[in-house]
Amino acid sequence: MTFMETLAIAWEGLTLNKVRSFLTTLGVIIGVASVIIMLAVSAGAEATIAEQINSLGADLIIVGPMRGIPGASRTFVYEDALAIAESVRNIVGVSAEQFSTQNIKGGDSALDAISILGVTPDFPQVRDYELASGRFFSVEENDRKTKVAVLGYGIAQDLFGTQDPFGQQITIGSTRFTVVGVMEPKGVVADVDYDGRVYIPITVVFQKFTTTAVGSDRVRTVYVKAESREVMDSVIAQITAVLAERHDVDPSQPDFSVQTQQDIISTQEATTEAFRNLLAWVAGVSLVVGGIGIMNIMLVSVTERTREIGLRQALGARPWDVQLQFLLEAIILSLVGGLVGVLTGIGGAYIFNALGTMRTELVPASVPLAFGAAATVGIFFGYYPATQAAQLDPIDALRRE
Amino acid sequence: MNDYLITVKNLIKTYGSAEVLLYALAGVDLNIRQGEFVAIMGPSGSGKSTLMNILGCLDRATEGTYILDDEDVSELSKVELADVRNRKIGFVFQSFNLLPRLPAYKNVMLPMMYYRAEDRPEAEEREMRAIKALESVGLGDRLEHHPNQLSGGQQQRVAIARALVNRPPLLLADEPTGNLDSRSSEEIMALIHNLHAQGVTIMMVTHEPDIAAHAERVICLRDGNIVSDGRDGASECERQRGAL
């Protein structure tokens, strides 16, 4: 008997009970789809991290209050940023940041709950973020708490449309500001919508928008840009020394954190990897469960068709003919499951992305991987029932009701 | 080359362990000539099914030799036995054993699927042969019918067509009329006579004396031994049963 004929017989056997065949493949479908979605999700997470590296640059040092230490955020203040700018060598710039959420008005429009980011004049340079038009505010304006604002590109569009916003008045909260510039479009990077924010001197945030009465010059984050990667370690050591002295703490147990972009990435990568491993287990387990389902139904099928097997044996089917017939049934089940699973996985990954639930990026290699895994499951879990069928004694098989 | 299709010497088949040894066949000697029509009778448990299974290469004897068509098949492997069944033996069962999901002509094509690659005819040729076989049993107008659309007698005729399609020298029929009414039984027996006339060797198990009467020779088994063998075997068998 040729392979194609055996294949045709196996296919015939499966179409005999379509609902059962479909339910049997469901386990494999879920397993394969989750392999593909899992890889797409973790590839999406990795892409987000990669974007963060590109958006912030590898020579950036992030200084902030140490998380998990009570009161640490109270002691991390604007003076710390000024001290770093003054005494740390080999740095290009320092940008302190604190933000507030306010309603704004300008032109003929009003916008609710907009992020107002208080920064220092080094901000564009430190964050590699250029202006589209106008200028950024100056050191003097920051020192004098001048009410000037630089708009994110999207905010400028929303308030003024095609009009030139330069020199226009806007109201943030209840304070009037003069627009001096518009930032270039940057979009959403690593969950931050740069275009949807307004940038003003940090001193004005302290004066007008900080809600806490005490320690109103608290800073959320200070970004320090080093001259090059080579001086990073030295810059980190200097920052640590300056802050430890100012805060009067042991440098080995600080109430502040000094991190590079690389540190943050490593932490996130570890999280992503743990997540991916977990998903890999889930996918693997569901494939195995799917395989057991196939084995179960194949054993039922062999029992149900014992007489047919006996008849085929009497008519001259060799043990291998019978074994191949049932093995192919199992493989067809798993491959059809694999195919539907691949389509479901691709569709699922696409839908997750489109709905914004999760960022996903389809990994092309995951398709043959998942398909191969499905085929392996079919062969592995089909082998035992097929062997059972091939080893049936023709006399017993023919006699069975 | 001799003129015996089947030569069986001292055939023994035992079941069970050394302590409780059951002899299904207790040393059977049997010669069947090419073209003979033999009926096998005997009460249940007499060993007639065991003998048929061994002659049909579905089972192997514990001891003894079995030569079929000049080939000693007693020592063949499972795979070789499958080939012998395919080429040399046609089976007709009491319960027809047709595959319900296949139309009649596809049922008849089944044995040809298991031909060895080297001497397997093309698909078209196989279909032609199946159609011819069905025509020869009078079902030329039922090719596409599924078994459940056919009467019992018609189903058994499909089974006979299937048994003959490989042109085997030996036809083994196990109670071929056991599930049929008397009219269909007569039709099937007429068909078998017809095959006999064409030179096919026929061995048929039956417990009905009037069916056995169709055969040229009746072998009667009891307790694993041949107790009578000859033209009047049927009445001899009946006589022995009556004596019990």
Side-chain angles (χ1 to χ4, degrees):
Chain A
M1 180 134 83
T2 66
F3 182 78
M4 287 311 290
E5 279 168 351
T6 315
L7 195 68
I9 292 174
W11 178 255
E12 222 168 67
L14 290 173
T15 50
L16 218 54
N17 202 330
K18 293 190 186 71
V19 174
R20 188 168 82 184
S21 298
F22 170 72
L23 289 176
T24 308
T25 57
L26 210 56
V28 178
I29 292 174
I30 293 169
V32 166
S34 51
V35 166
I36 289 183
I37 293 177
M38 148 207 81
L39 287 171
V41 166
S42 61
E46 272 160 23
T48 306
I49 291 171
E51 266 181 15
Q52 276 178 320
I53 303 175
N54 293 336
S55 71
L56 293 176
D59 48 6
L60 202 65
I61 295 156
I62 300 122
V63 190
M66 181 65 93
R67 275 188 216 173
I69 291 189
S73 63
R74 261 202 300 276
T75 56
F76 194 72
V77 295
Y78 187 48
E79 286 291 317
D80 290 331
L82 296 179
I84 292 169
E86 196 160 297
S87 50
V88 175
R89 283 170 292 111
N90 301 116
I91 59 175
V92 177
V94 175
S95 172
E97 296 186 5
Q98 179 59 290
F99 76 82
S100 171
T101 303
Q102 302 292 335
N103 297 340
I104 65 174
K105 274 182 276 184
D108 301 322
S109 315
L111 300 170
D112 287 349
I114 297 301
S115 279
I116 309 300
L117 196 71
V119 295
T120 47
D122 283 349
F123 175 77
Q125 194 183 9
V126 172
R127 300 294 296 268
D128 289 325
Y129 187 17
E130 301 299 321
L131 281 119
S133 65
R135 60 174 179 85
F136 210 73
F137 55 81
S138 67
V139 177
E140 289 74 31
E141 284 167 327
N142 187 45
D143 289 347
R144 290 184 194 146
K145 301 173 185 142
T146 314
K147 310 298 179 290
V148 287
V150 178
L151 304 181
Y153 193 79
I155 296 288
Q157 299 277 309
D158 290 346
L159 293 181
F160 299 106
T162 52
Q163 259 184 289
D164 184 3
F166 187 79
Q168 300 278 355
Q169 296 289 308
I170 62 167
T171 311
I172 301 178
S174 54
T175 312
R176 294 175 72 79
F177 285 74
T178 306
V179 177
V180 294
V182 176
M183 301 305 289
E184 65 180 354
K186 189 164 177 165
V188 180
V189 181
D191 290 337
V192 175
D193 179 12
Y194 284 84
D195 296 345
R197 307 203 290 189
V198 176
Y199 304 92
I200 61 171
I202 193 167
T203 51
V204 180
V205 171
F206 296 147
Q207 184 191 31
K208 292 285 181 188
F209 302 127
T210 308
T211 46
T212 42
V214 189
S216 65
D217 60 345
R218 282 186 212 170
V219 170
R220 190 180 154 85
T221 315
V222 174
Y223 292 94
V224 181
K225 189 172 184 139
E227 278 174 357
S228 68
R229 278 167 177 245
E230 285 68 41
V231 298
M232 291 277 277
D233 288 343
S234 136
V235 171
I236 290 169
Q238 292 177 64
I239 294 171
T240 308
V242 168
L243 292 184
E245 199 192 320
R246 280 185 47 79
H247 292 190
D248 194 20
V249 293
D250 181 353
S252 64
Q253 288 177 308
D255 62 346
F256 54 87
S257 72
V258 183
Q259 284 183 299
T260 62
Q261 191 58 19
Q262 196 52 52
D263 297 333
I264 295 171
I265 290 162
S266 306
T267 318
Q268 285 184 344
E269 267 175 354
T271 317
T272 316
E273 204 182 311
F275 181 58
R276 183 172 52 200
N277 287 346
L278 179 75
L279 284 171
W281 271 105
V282 171
V285 165
S286 61
L287 265 179
V288 169
V289 171
I292 292 170
I294 288 182
M295 179 149 81
N296 191 24
I297 230 62
M298 290 310 298
L299 286 171
V300 170
S301 174
V302 168
T303 308
E304 279 178 352
R305 284 148 70 190
T306 300
R307 268 179 89 94
E308 175 189 331
I309 295 165
L311 173 73
R312 288 182 185 276
Q313 287 173 324
L315 298 183
R318 293 173 168 190
W320 168 244
D321 291 325
V322 175
Q323 186 163 23
L324 187 66
Q325 177 187 338
F326 283 92
L327 198 57
L328 282 177
E329 279 193 24
I331 293 173
I332 291 173
L333 278 179
S334 63
L335 284 188
V336 169
L339 186 69
V340 176
V342 163
L343 296 177
T344 311
I346 291 175
Y350 177 79
I351 288 170
F352 275 144
N353 212 19
L355 292 180
T357 326
M358 240 183 276
R359 175 168 175 179
T360 59
E361 256 173 41
L362 210 61
V363 183
S366 68
V367 173
L369 176 82
F371 216 65
T376 310
V377 161
I379 294 169
F380 185 81
F381 288 100
Y383 184 80
Y384 176 70
T387 307
Q388 294 286 99
Q391 284 173 352
L392 278 175
D393 184 356
I395 304 161
D396 290 343
L398 276 170
R399 217 177 274 152
R400 203 87 58 85
E401 275 312 314
Chain B
M1 185 77 190
N2 60 47
D3 55 353
Y4 290 123
L5 179 68
I6 291 173
T7 307
V8 163
K9 282 203 187 82
N10 192 32
L11 210 59
I12 294 175
K13 179 73 181 179
T14 57
Y15 292 105
S17 58
E19 297 99 61
V20 198
L21 205 57
L22 288 171
Y23 279 82
L25 291 177
V28 169
D29 295 302
L30 185 63
N31 292 315
I32 309 240
R33 244 183 279 277
Q34 298 269 10
E36 265 192 295
F37 182 177
V38 182
I40 298 179
M41 296 191 75
S44 58
S46 62
K48 59 183 195 301
S49 294
T50 307
L51 180 61
M52 283 296 266
N53 287 336
I54 292 172
L55 293 181
C57 293
L58 292 166
D59 199 0
R60 268 179 290 196
T62 315
E63 262 179 63
T65 55
Y66 170 22
I67 291 161
L68 171 64
D69 200 15
D70 294 324
E71 183 178 10
D72 186 350
V73 298
S74 351
E75 302 294 329
L76 295 185
S77 68
K78 270 188 164 184
V79 171
E80 290 166 322
L81 286 177
D83 289 352
V84 171
R85 289 195 295 271
N86 184 246
R87 281 182 287 116
K88 299 201 170 160
I89 304 166
F91 291 91
V92 176
F93 306 94
Q94 179 176 0
S95 52
F96 323 138
N97 275 328
L98 301 176
L99 294 188
R101 61 177 189 272
L102 298 182
Y105 80 97
K106 285 214 165 163
N107 264 293
V108 175
M109 283 171 74
L110 276 178
M112 291 186 286
M113 302 198 90
Y114 297 109
Y115 262 34
R116 294 310 136 216
E118 55 275 14
D119 45 25
R120 218 162 57 108
E122 292 297 311
E124 259 174 55
E125 163 78 10
R126 280 181 278 153
E127 206 168 308
M128 283 289 294
R129 275 209 219 168
I131 292 167
K132 269 192 191 149
L134 278 169
E135 281 167 352
S136 75
V137 297
L139 290 176
D141 55 344
R142 296 281 191 276
L143 302 176
E144 301 279 354
H145 285 58
H146 281 72
N148 59 6
Q149 299 166 310
L150 298 170
S151 72
Q154 288 171 328
Q155 289 187 48
Q156 193 61 300
R157 281 194 271 164
V158 174
I160 290 173
R162 180 181 65 193
L164 294 174
V165 77
N166 275 358
R167 300 183 191 123
L170 177 63
L171 182 76
L172 291 182
D174 189 356
E175 305 265 12
T177 59
N179 282 6
L180 300 176
D181 59 34
S182 54
R183 227 192 93 217
S184 301
S185 296
E186 284 308 315
E187 281 174 20
I188 293 300
M189 289 318 296
L191 205 53
I192 288 176
H193 269 297
N194 201 358
L195 295 173
H196 177 223
Q198 289 166 30
V200 179
T201 309
I202 293 160
M203 292 197 72
M204 176 179 72
V205 169
T206 183
H207 64 271
E208 294 167 79
D210 50 332
I211 294 295
H214 285 275
E216 302 172 312
R217 176 180 166 191
V218 180
I219 293 169
C220 191
L221 282 171
R222 201 149 65 89
D223 299 332
N225 289 298
I226 294 178
V227 290
S228 71
D229 180 355
R231 280 209 62 82
D232 56 347
S235 51
E236 178 68 20
C237 234
E238 287 299 294
R239 199 182 57 73
Q240 291 226 358
R241 192 189 292 186
L244 279 173

